[in-house]
Amino acid sequence: MSHRRKFIKQSLLGSALILPGMASLDAVAGPSRTRKTEKPLILSTWDHGIPANANAWEKLKNTGSILDAVEAGVRTTELDMENLSVGLQGLPDREGITTLDASIMCGDGSCGSVAFVRQVKHPISLARAVMEKTPHVMMVGEGARQFALAQGFPMEPEVLSPKAQQEYDKWKMHSKYKPVINRENHDTIGMIGLDAAGKLAGSCTTSGLAYKMHGRVGDSPIIGAGLFVDDQVGAATATGLGESIIRICGSFLIVELMRQGRSPQEACEEAVRRLVAKNKQIEDIQAGFLAMNTEGEVGAFAVHPGFTFAKATGAGNVLMNAGSHFKP
Ligand code: ASP
């Protein structure tokens, strides 16, 4: 049976109905466990998750590969010129240089990541090349760029996007080094997906914290912090202030909590509690987690209100609000 026909047979409605619009959080909020399960299932962070999920869904339909789907999905955001926190159009570091971080992981433990990379339009595909074409997991900086060249990735000119240049010029007027927290609805994209047969994969890509110190790397390319996937249990991804997420090894923590029997929602809430306990000046820190288990149960939770995520199933692609530790 072709991938396409198999997918159609296995998915609930056969094809994606893309229905953007805000859904209530009944399915994921609150302590009680929701047993309603859906496969295939694709989740991704923030409002930009809607177009990313749509492309991931299409890819899954066409190739039957959840890995191809999570790569294709976030490539959408890497190209989105309106987005100032993913891709080469993202806000630069305090020297005015845009550096990118990305990771990709399959449920069998294969993974790859790149960090502090310049001039590569699709760091997620470079992360996949690290996973598939090298014996390594992580490559950084100039070495990663050289590897990209050797793999035939085109090098983009090092100019800021008009929007990023405008914002950077404004920032330079006062030029204090102050990490910008992520309260707005644009941020790192983390995507996790489950196919109809129960295989998992995830991807995460970012230009990192705006005006970071040159050389700073956040959670997104760190396997276990920004992303973790295990076919035996489930998957998790993170967004927000990377330092706070690395401190608790956030995505790995969530998968391990699920392994011990917590629901994805309970695991995300526990990770946020841990993050709140381990980080000072929590009022200035936003961080959020998304998780799913092999049954297709969903979890989402953030430190502060405002974290949205997109959920795609055979029934459609909807934007949802996650609950938060601090209430509105
Ligand atoms: N997690 C990213 C980082 O710290 C930032 C973000 O989510 O926007 O690099």
Side-chain angles (χ1 to χ4, degrees), residues 83 111 118 123 142 170 175 187 201 242 325-326:
N83 193 306
C111 52
R118 293 156 76 154
E142 183 55 20
K170 265 196 249 161
S175 200
D187 216 307
H325 181 88
F326 296 104

Side-chain angles (χ1 to χ4, degrees), residues 259-312:
R259 195 189 306 278
Q260 290 161 22
R262 310 275 183 110
S263 70
Q265 184 62 27
E266 289 165 346
C268 289
E269 292 184 16
E270 177 57 27
V272 169
R273 267 195 293 278
R274 191 90 57 100
L275 188 150
V276 168
K278 294 284 180 194
N279 285 277
K280 300 185 180 83
Q281 289 181 302
I282 196 68
E283 61 286 353
D284 289 337
I285 297 175
Q286 173 64 310
F289 296 102
L290 272 186
M292 63 172 66
N293 63 16
T294 49
E295 296 307 308
E297 289 181 274
V298 170
F301 208 61
V303 176
H304 294 284
F307 175 39
T308 59
F309 66 100
K311 175 182 168 187

Side-chain angles (χ1 to χ4, degrees), residues 207-218:
S207 53
L209 207 58
Y211 319 127
K212 61 196 175 188
M213 290 174 75
H214 189 61
R216 178 267 187 192
V217 169

Side-chain angles (χ1 to χ4, degrees), residues 27-45:
V28 294
S32 64
R33 187 153 186 177
T34 312
R35 288 279 177 187
K36 195 168 160 249
T37 65
E38 292 162 294
K39 298 180 206 176
L41 169 67
I42 295 172
L43 300 178
S44 54
T45 55

